[in-house]
Amino acid sequence: MKNGYELFVRPLLFSLDAETAHHFTIALLHNASDFDPALRVLRSFQPSPKPKTLFGLNFPNPIGLAAGLDKNGVALPAWAALGFGFIEIGTVTAKAQPGNPKPRIFRLPEQQALINRLGFNNDGADAIAQRLAALRESGRWPAVPVGINIGKSRVTPIEQATDDYLYSFRMLPDFADYITLNISSPNTPGLRELQEPTKLSELLHAIGDEAGTAPKPLVVKISPDMSAAELTAILAVCEENGVSGIIATNTTLDHSSIAPQLDQPGGLSGAPLRDKSTALVREIAARSTIPVIASGGIFDAESAREKFHAGALLIQLYTGLVYRGPQVLREIMDRL
C-alpha cells in the first residue's frame, strides 16, 4: 500500500528532471532547517527511539542518511527532525568542483533504481567547514551523530590522493562524529584504485598519523564490485589500521539487470543493488570483527531486516528515501 509521499509528493517530484527535483528538495529542507514551525512538522515523521551504540557513539535509531543526498551539509537540522538516527554528508573534496556534465542522474522507476554520475559535485572542504561552524554557532546543531564523507578531488592525480584527503580531513574533524573515506565511487576516474591494499594502507597510515590523541572513528566505504580476494585484502588492511567501520556498499557498475535501452553510464543504486550489497555485508560479518554499516537496496522493513540479519549494525538510506519518502523510517522501525 502506497504512503502519502508515494501518492502525492513523488509524482510531483518525478515530473521534474531528477537533479532539479533533488536541488528543489534540498532547498526546501535547507529553509526548513532555519524555521522552527517547519521542523515541528517534519518531526511528525519520526520513528520511536531504538537506541544503538557503536564505536563510542550513541545513535537514537540505526537508520542513517547516506552520503550523496546532502553533499554540502545544508540541511542537518531537517534530517534530524525527520528522524534519522545519524546523518552522513558529502562526499566533500579538498577543492570545490562542479562534478560531471549534466544530465547525470537518471531514474528507473520500474526497477526502483537510480543511475548517477555526479562526480563529487560539492562546495569544497573550506566552504563546508565554514557552513558547519556557522550552524554550530547558531545553536541548531543536530542531536544525532554526524558523519562527514571525504573523497579525492577530480583534478588531483591519484599519486597525490593522500595529500588531497588529508586536506579535507584537517578542515573537517571538529564537525564530525566520524569520518568516512570514500574510495569506491565509480564516477571519479581512478578512485577505486585506492582500494588496492598498498594505496589504502598508505592513506590509512597518513590519516592515523594526523588524527592525534583523540581520533574520530574512521569508516571506509567500499565498492560492491570487488572480488573475494580483493575483499580479503581490504579487510586485512582495515584491521591492521584500526578502522572503526565499513560501509557496504557504494553504487555498482554491474548494470546486468537494466535493459540496454534504459541504461546509462554511472553508478547504479536501489533495488538492483540489494542482493549484491547484502552478500557483501554477510561476507564481511563472517570474516571480520569490523562493524558494518549497510547501504544498498533498502526500501522497507523486509530489506532492512535482511541487512541486519546479514550482520549490519546500522543501515543507510538513499534511493529508498527517494522512492518511498520519509515515512519509510517509521515503517522500518515499527516492523523490525
Side-chain angles (χ1 to χ4, degrees), residues 229-315:
E230 289 170 331
L231 177 62
T232 298
I234 281 182
L235 291 177
V237 171
C238 288
E239 288 169 352
E240 289 166 8
N241 287 275
V243 166
S244 298
I246 293 176
I247 298 178
T249 64
N250 215 315
T251 57
T252 180
L253 288 174
D254 177 4
H255 292 201
S256 58
S257 62
I258 305 302
Q261 66 270 23
L262 299 175
D263 203 8
Q264 291 282 344
L268 175 67
S269 64
L273 181 56
R274 175 177 170 175
D275 292 345
K276 186 184 283 271
S277 169
T278 301
L280 198 57
V281 169
R282 185 176 293 111
E283 189 71 12
I284 295 167
R287 296 165 59 179
S288 175
T289 59
I290 299 175
V292 184
I293 302 170
S295 182
I298 302 169
F299 280 73
D300 51 25
E302 179 186 355
S303 51
R305 191 181 299 114
E306 177 183 280
K307 293 292 193 285
F308 289 122
H309 286 172
L313 297 180
L314 302 172
I315 60 175

Side-chain angles (χ1 to χ4, degrees), residues 3-15 25 326-327:
N3 61 40
Y5 169 88
E6 293 171 287
L7 288 170
F8 304 112
V9 179
R10 191 176 74 186
L12 295 174
L13 291 175
F14 278 30
S15 70
T25 302
Q327 288 159 283

Side-chain angles (χ1 to χ4, degrees), residues 46-48 50 63 301 305 327-336:
Q46 285 193 5
S48 300
K50 292 189 180 178
I63 307 175
R305 191 181 299 114
Q327 288 159 283
V328 73
L329 277 75
R330 181 177 292 173
E331 176 187 326
I332 290 172
M333 293 309 304
D334 286 350
R335 299 181 184 178
L336 281 182

Side-chain angles (χ1 to χ4, degrees), residues 2-65:
K2 291 184 177 181
N3 61 40
Y5 169 88
E6 293 171 287
L7 288 170
F8 304 112
V9 179
R10 191 176 74 186
L12 295 174
L13 291 175
F14 278 30
S15 70
L16 303 172
D17 164 79
E19 189 162 357
T20 300
H22 175 85
H23 289 308
F24 175 73
T25 302
I26 294 296
L28 288 178
L29 293 172
H30 171 60
N31 291 330
S33 293
D34 295 324
F35 190 51
D36 289 337
L39 291 176
R40 283 195 291 271
V41 172
L42 295 181
R43 289 189 187 103
S44 66
F45 292 101
Q46 285 193 5
S48 300
K50 292 189 180 178
K52 187 92 173 180
T53 300
L54 185 64
F55 36 78
L57 300 176
N58 297 317
F59 299 84
N61 67 64
I63 307 175
L65 180 77

Side-chain angles (χ1 to χ4, degrees), residues 148-170:
I148 302 182
N149 183 303
I150 61 176
K152 185 187 78 68
S153 306
R154 186 183 184 93
V155 298
T156 300
I158 197 71
E159 296 78 17
Q160 298 171 23
T162 294
D163 289 338
D164 195 84
Y165 278 86
L166 281 174
Y167 184 89
S168 297
F169 183 83
R170 290 165 183 154

